Amino acid sequence: MKQVSHQAAARIGRPASAQPSDRTYASVGAVRSLCPIGCNGRGVQDSSMVSPVSMDEPSIEEQFRLVRRAGVFDCFDRLPLPDQVDTFLACMDTYGLPVHTTSWFYEMGTDDAKYADNLRLSARVGARTHNVMVYARHADGRVVTNDEIVDCYLRVYDEGMKQGVEPSFELHTNM
């Protein structure tokens, strides 16, 4: 059994009379039912003293296999490249790891068509949310404005909802 905080215990149906100093034990499965835990898969590797961590990224199939084998993740959350969709779908079925969320970095002024493309890819693998990360600088080199972010979000939201994928924007810009 894994030790769980007072707040987590309350969410899994423990008595409200428990005090913050009390410790409640619950199974990992009970805690996991609170929300799905996803893994992007990048960097996941089988390693040992004989086979140390490498800079070579394993195949998509191997990443799915290792994420499933870890036994702690509910989903594989990454946007497939266009030529990886069939592989993702097969691995999702084989390893029982759905894709709930996808993410991508975007540069305003360059990637305007990419939003719709990535929302379509997200829908193809069953993602419900696409996380949009915007670079701080526009393609022309200036800092993007608040109005540009708002306009972009409204455009991307409309497109996402057509695809059945709700966009989310991170609360910062990437430098």
Side-chain angles (χ1 to χ4, degrees), residues 72-165:
V72 296
F73 299 106
D74 302 300
C75 42
F76 191 92
D77 284 343
R78 184 188 329 164
L79 181 71
L81 298 175
D83 65 343
Q84 296 173 332
V85 172
D86 290 338
T87 301
F88 263 66
L89 293 171
C91 289
M92 290 163 59
D93 185 50
T94 299
Y95 297 103
L97 289 169
V99 173
H100 288 184
T101 303
T102 59
S103 298
W104 201 260
F105 290 97
Y106 296 92
E107 180 181 58
M108 289 191 173
T110 300
D111 294 333
D112 297 336
K114 193 172 209 81
Y115 296 105
D117 293 342
N118 286 346
L119 288 162
R120 279 190 288 279
L121 284 171
S122 299
R124 287 186 63 196
V125 296
R128 296 181 294 208
T129 304
H130 179 66
N131 185 44
V132 175
M133 298 173 281
V134 176
Y135 289 114
R137 297 207 174 267
H138 190 278
D140 64 15
R142 64 181 171 73
V143 173
V144 297
T145 67
N146 289 340
D147 287 342
E148 286 173 317
I149 295 286
V150 170
D151 289 344
C152 178
Y153 178 78
L154 293 173
R155 253 189 350 270
V156 172
Y157 182 84
D158 288 344
E159 180 62 34
M161 297 317 286
K162 285 184 213 169
Q163 300 294 332
V165 178

